[in-house]
Amino acid sequence: MPKGIRRRRMVKPQKRQMPKERRRQSTISEGSELNRMKKKGIRISRIGSYAIASSISDRHPCISCTTFNILAPIYKRLKHEDPSCRESDYRAYWLARNRRILDWLLCERSSIICLQEFWVGNEELVNMYEKRLGDAGYITFKLARTNNRGDGLLTAVHKDYFRVINHRDLLFNDFGDRVAQLLHVELIVPSSQGRNNSMRQEILIVNTHLLFPHDSSLCLVRLHQVYKILQYVESYQKENNLNPMPIILCGDWNGSKRGHVYKFLRSLGFVSSYDTAHQYTDADANKWVSHRNHRGNICGVDFIWLLNPNRYRKLLKTSWSETVFGMFKSLLRRASLTEYDAFAFLKADNQADYITYSGFCEALRQLNLTGHDYGLSIEETKELWVQADIDGNGVLDYKEFQVTFAWQILVLLCCHFCVVFQQLQKYKSLFVHGTQ
């Protein structure tokens, strides 16, 4: 965990009577699959009963974080048979639902609140959130998506816990019109403990909502969005001569633990707070659920990521290249190509026994990784080539190709043996129970 930061279980508040709606929300936030809440248009994902706190003599207050896609009324369909019937057309509906959301948020009273699909285009709703959160002691920042999409982000931090040093808006300017918010905050030290520089703890908080992967061609766009966020965070730290500090990434990531975005963030040293709190591993992809998406699939995609600044991590550009190259290899594998067939595909029309840069570029184009506005740039393509061309002689021979792809084969074998082992355990369990 970051320097001066650890997890601890929060002290449970005394039980109190709450309205039925809020009571159900509170229960669901602690571990249910949220099916009922999705019917209300609400998605919840948070650290659960855990929080972030100081590891040194409790010098800093315990803080908690909530990330919450509140489903903008302009997207909420009221009738399956009539997609044009939206909640935004019925003031009583969206007003009541958002009042309940605010009731729940104020009941939870997290130190950090990150909302997605916040209806920034409706002045009445915006004023309601800003007033109620402001009256409860929160400092709020909102950001609309580009091209007047109607929704956006809202990030709120409680002034009892944080002093806001700076905030920045990040516009991706891609066809998804996605955005991100960056807050630079300092933890407030209790007055009884005094204040000195050695006790200062600054944190960077990011709130975002990535593009939904409607098809596999959008995986690269989503990866680009995360790369832009991390590049921006890195440049902000350099611009302001900041020491390494904890980073919290919140939001609706629209991707599971099996996706390239998850693998990219893990390779950089980020940990999923929910996984850490419940001691889940990267392989535990189905052990928690954040919501049921618009396609009716249950999934876990709303992450709170934490970065310990003291942990070793790869350079951002290196990790980016490796992740994109992993995507490249994944697409080749999905095409069911044997090792030799994949080599032949990359050679293209070249009769010699090696892959040229032009053949490599053509393969990327055929796999839809280049050749369009949001594909890999020329610079990114060159970086991939440099990574693949181990000896730097300008071509990729079969031995280099085997070295580059060997680890992927090992991963496939490991996955295969894991599946076999799980099946054996299942059959063993059935056999034991069947004989009792």
Side-chain angles (χ1 to χ4, degrees), residues 260 263 323-336 367 405 407-408:
H260 296 289
K263 293 171 184 174
T323 303
V324 175
F325 205 63
M327 183 184 293
F328 180 33
K329 291 186 284 188
S330 177
L331 290 169
L332 289 176
R333 190 177 75 248
R334 194 179 301 168
S336 300
L367 291 170
F405 283 79
W407 70 269
Q408 190 69 31

Side-chain angles (χ1 to χ4, degrees), residues 11 29 34 53 68 123 127 135 163-164 172-173 200 228 232 241 249 277 279 281 322 368 370 417 423:
V11 177
S29 72
L34 306 184
F68 198 164
E123 188 177 351
N127 289 340
D135 290 347
R163 180 178 71 87
V164 178
F172 296 150
N173 292 314
R200 291 187 61 179
K228 285 180 182 178
Y232 192 82
N241 297 315
L249 304 181
Q279 299 183 336
T281 66
E322 289 177 355
N368 205 31
T370 60
F417 285 122
Q423 289 294 329

Side-chain angles (χ1 to χ4, degrees), residues 357-375:
Y357 178 66
S358 61
F360 181 75
C361 292
E362 175 59 20
L364 289 175
R365 188 192 66 78
Q366 290 189 42
L367 291 170
N368 205 31
L369 293 175
T370 60
H372 49 90
D373 291 342
Y374 302 106

Side-chain angles (χ1 to χ4, degrees), residues 117-136:
E117 290 197 24
F118 180 65
W119 194 13
V120 294
N122 185 283
E123 188 177 351
E124 182 181 3
L125 182 138
V126 169
N127 289 340
M128 179 176 71
Y129 272 85
E130 289 183 337
K131 172 138 194 347
R132 291 193 61 185
L133 289 173
D135 290 347

Side-chain angles (χ1 to χ4, degrees), residues 28-70:
I28 288 175
S29 72
E30 293 172 2
S32 141
E33 292 182 355
L34 306 184
N35 290 336
R36 289 176 294 172
M37 289 302 290
K38 183 55 182 174
K39 292 177 183 176
K40 298 290 182 184
I42 296 173
R43 295 194 285 177
I44 301 172
S45 174
R46 59 193 307 277
I47 296 178
S49 58
Y50 285 77
I52 308 165
S54 167
S55 62
I56 308 173
S57 306
D58 290 320
R59 295 184 310 187
H60 296 118
C62 172
I63 64 171
S64 58
C65 182
T66 293
T67 183
F68 198 164
N69 183 320
I70 59 176

Side-chain angles (χ1 to χ4, degrees), residues 20 24-25 40 42 46 64 142 157 189 216 233 252 258 268 285 297 305 353 366 371 401 414 418:
K20 186 177 179 182
R24 183 165 69 247
Q25 291 171 352
K40 298 290 182 184
I42 296 173
R46 59 193 307 277
S64 58
K142 65 180 186 295
V157 292
V189 178
S216 58
V233 168
D252 182 349
R258 298 189 184 93
L268 287 165
N297 303 320
W305 291 98
D353 200 27
Q366 290 189 42
F401 171 82
C414 289
C418 283

